[in-house]
Amino acid sequence: METYTEHIVDNSLDAESYFVAKVSATWSWSDNGVGFYEFWGTPGHHEDWGWEYEGYFIEEVAIFNNEEELVVSLTHSVDNSIAPEHEDIWNAVNEMVCEEMESLDPPDEHPEAEYDEL
């Protein structure tokens, strides 16, 4: 089972501008308790079901100047590319978002009871 959470990430790009990014994180419900000494189906094996972070996708980035005026708004195109003149900005934002995503807390929601029995 997968679920998605939406996040707003903001940070300064330089002394004159900052960004606000809309980001979706992907989580999967999985058993994190299987260690190297265990295998599926072992009697008495340890189960530790929980949300596992799978990755993120930046949906939109808005760049503002210090006067809070919108300078540029970036989104992925249908073919998943960024205009060449905006690649440096996108890559800088992506690095900062990546650092932020590493500290996410898992979703509070719990999947249906049927997943507890897997």
Side-chain angles (χ1 to χ4, degrees):
M1 172 182 188
E2 281 190 347
T3 192
Y4 303 90
T5 55
E6 288 190 351
H7 306 272
I8 301 296
V9 178
D10 58 350
N11 205 335
S12 62
L13 282 172
D14 54 34
E16 300 172 1
S17 62
Y18 68 96
F19 73 89
V20 177
K22 182 179 176 184
V23 183
S24 291
T26 306
W27 301 84
S28 64
W29 187 248
S30 59
D31 181 4
N32 300 313
V34 176
F36 66 92
Y37 56 88
E38 298 173 318
F39 60 92
W40 289 105
T42 303
H45 69 280
H46 173 68
E47 290 184 6
D48 185 15
W49 286 90
W51 289 112
E52 185 174 326
Y53 174 69
E54 297 290 335
Y56 68 92
F57 178 78
I58 300 174
E59 296 181 26
E60 183 179 357
V61 175
I63 309 294
F64 297 92
N65 62 19
N66 285 340
E67 288 78 39
E68 297 188 7
E69 299 169 327
L70 181 65
V71 176
V72 66
S73 181
L74 306 173
T75 58
H76 270 285
S77 64
V78 175
D79 63 354
N80 207 23
S81 65
I82 296 295
E85 63 269 18
H86 296 133
E87 283 182 3
D88 289 343
I89 294 171
W90 187 269
N91 291 337
V93 168
N94 188 44
E95 285 180 26
M96 289 185 232
V97 168
C98 184
E99 289 175 15
E100 184 81 21
M101 294 290 107
E102 291 175 1
S103 63
L104 283 181
D105 290 327
D108 291 333
E109 62 191 61
H110 186 279
E112 292 80 9
E114 64 190 66
Y115 290 98
D116 288 338
E117 299 172 8
L118 291 178

